Amino acid sequence: MNGMVTMGFEPKAVTVPIADILPLRPVDDTVRKSRKFQQVAAAIREIGIAQPPVVARRPELKGRFLLLDGHLRIDVLKDMGVAEATCLVSLDDEALTYNREVNPLTPVQEHRMILKVIGRGISEQRIAQALNVDVASIRTKRDLLNGICPEVAALLKDKQCPINSFQALRKVKPLRQYEIARTMSGIGNYSVAYARTLVAASAPDQLVNPGRPKAQRRISPEEMEQIERELANLQGEIERIEETFAADHLNLVLAASYVRSLLRNVEVDRYLRNYQGTLHRQFLEICQAAAPLSEAAE
């Protein structure tokens, strides 16, 4: 394994008959009436599928595939009468753990997806119409990383950092941008107020447009209170974690040991995979989270 990178997907996408794709969960009428589903449906009808669904091969399925990600997309294609879908094939042995890695798109991911669609010749107006948003919103997301250094973009690519926080970061130079982004990541606070506070605390020579030095350099009492409050909250969280860590550690190891014993039972594991996919994924998450703790306790 030294230095080797394990591929997560088969090298090429495959075209799969939709009838041969088995979803892990149903898409019911409540979901179909939701705003998210309507946006997905409108986007597919207008500009096609930007992200291929993800499936997994399972020997026992005899040529059929488990659908790991893309339930709404596949459901829309069915409604449209489409017979086949181009899919990525996951190589993860524990196929049902894939959804653990699937999260809502972050602003940076949205930005890159919009650029990708625009690169295909789709206009901003069509994208906005497909997503049921105004054109200004699409343009704001398109320009998200203008003035943001690559290191900050990489650091925040998988973080739910608000668009206005990026706008605040543009007011400082790249090195200060990176310092602020690391501070936000370390605390886990990406709020606009916190980003603006850190920008306001920057020295004049760290600002892109210093303007009036005295006005820029001074931090208001409200901003100072914000910083002190954040630090106090962080210290309180650390103390609470320290107080309960030993008991939580023991409970997690014991619970994971019991769950692991359940999953070793072939019949129980098969039942959970086939009929309780969400519960099975949660059990796997518990085992995975507790694995390092169990090794440390041995």
Side-chain angles (χ1 to χ4, degrees), residues 96-147:
L96 290 179
T97 66
Y98 178 84
N99 280 346
R100 183 176 60 82
E101 306 297 337
V102 178
N103 297 305
L105 288 178
T106 66
V108 173
Q109 291 167 340
E110 281 189 300
H111 158 79
R112 290 174 176 167
M113 183 175 294
I114 288 172
L115 289 184
K116 183 178 179 181
V117 174
I118 291 175
R120 294 177 180 173
I122 307 298
S123 69
E124 295 160 3
Q125 288 76 11
R126 286 186 64 191
I127 298 172
Q129 183 179 357
L131 299 178
N132 194 28
V133 297
D134 56 49
V135 177
S137 173
I138 297 299
R139 290 172 179 164
T140 298
K141 293 177 180 179
R142 177 199 64 189
D143 299 335
L144 179 73
L145 297 183
N146 289 356

Side-chain angles (χ1 to χ4, degrees), residues 251-264:
N251 290 335
L252 179 57
V253 170
L254 291 175
S257 177
Y258 177 70
V259 170
R260 199 174 292 114
S261 69
L262 287 178
L263 296 181
R264 289 196 187 105

Side-chain angles (χ1 to χ4, degrees), residues 18-281:
I18 290 181
D20 290 339
I21 298 176
L22 304 177
L24 293 178
R25 61 181 185 275
V27 178
D28 57 26
D29 290 338
T30 301
V31 174
R32 292 190 182 97
K33 293 176 182 177
S34 67
R35 184 172 183 271
K36 180 179 179 181
F37 183 89
Q38 298 301 323
Q39 285 183 330
V40 171
I44 291 175
R45 294 190 179 97
E46 185 69 25
I47 62 177
I49 293 182
Q51 281 188 313
V54 179
V55 297
R57 300 182 190 272
R58 301 292 293 181
E60 68 273 15
L61 297 179
K62 300 179 181 179
R64 306 182 82 184
F65 295 78
L66 283 180
L67 178 59
L68 305 182
D69 179 51
H71 287 71
L72 300 188
R73 282 164 273 167
I74 290 297
D75 196 74
V76 171
L77 293 177
K78 286 181 181 178
D79 287 345
M80 294 172 61
V82 177
E84 298 177 328
T86 300
C87 303
L88 298 178
V89 181
S90 172
L91 296 176
D92 191 349
D93 290 335
E94 294 289 350
L96 290 179
T97 66
Y98 178 84
N99 280 346
R100 183 176 60 82
E101 306 297 337
V102 178
N103 297 305
L105 288 178
T106 66
V108 173
Q109 291 167 340
E110 281 189 300
H111 158 79
R112 290 174 176 167
M113 183 175 294
I114 288 172
L115 289 184
K116 183 178 179 181
V117 174
I118 291 175
R120 294 177 180 173
I122 307 298
S123 69
E124 295 160 3
Q125 288 76 11
R126 286 186 64 191
I127 298 172
Q129 183 179 357
L131 299 178
N132 194 28
V133 297
D134 56 49
V135 177
S137 173
I138 297 299
R139 290 172 179 164
T140 298
K141 293 177 180 179
R142 177 199 64 189
D143 299 335
L144 179 73
L145 297 183
N146 289 356
I148 301 296
C149 70
E151 293 79 8
V152 170
L155 185 63
L156 300 178
K157 67 180 181 180
D158 58 350
K159 305 295 192 299
Q160 291 296 342
C161 183
I163 291 176
N164 286 342
S165 292
F166 284 96
Q167 293 175 345
L169 287 172
R170 292 195 192 107
K171 297 180 180 180
V172 294
K173 296 178 180 178
L175 183 58
R176 179 57 178 163
Q177 283 183 13
Y178 188 67
E179 290 175 351
I180 292 175
R182 288 197 61 181
T183 300
M184 294 167 70
S185 296
I187 295 180
N189 184 345
Y190 305 97
S191 69
V192 178
Y194 192 49
R196 288 174 176 169
T197 298
L198 294 176
V199 168
S202 304
D205 60 356
Q206 296 174 322
L207 300 174
V208 173
N209 296 307
R212 293 172 296 179
K214 292 183 180 180
Q216 291 284 355
R217 182 168 51 238
R218 183 173 300 170
I219 302 176
S220 69
E222 292 78 11
E223 290 169 339
M224 183 58 68
E225 287 180 9
Q226 170 85 13
I227 295 175
E228 293 175 349
R229 187 162 54 250
E230 294 290 349
L231 292 175
N233 289 340
L234 179 61
Q235 183 61 37
E237 290 175 11
I238 292 174
E239 291 175 357
R240 285 193 294 273
I241 291 172
E242 289 176 344
E243 290 175 358
T244 62
F245 177 77
D248 292 343
H249 176 282
L250 177 59
N251 290 335
L252 179 57
V253 170
L254 291 175
S257 177
Y258 177 70
V259 170
R260 199 174 292 114
S261 69
L262 287 178
L263 296 181
R264 289 196 187 105
N265 185 308
V266 177
E267 293 183 357
V268 172
D269 184 68
R270 183 183 301 115
Y271 174 82
L272 291 174
R273 284 177 181 274
N274 293 336
Y275 302 104
Q276 298 290 336
T278 300
L279 184 60
H280 187 266
R281 290 193 297 275

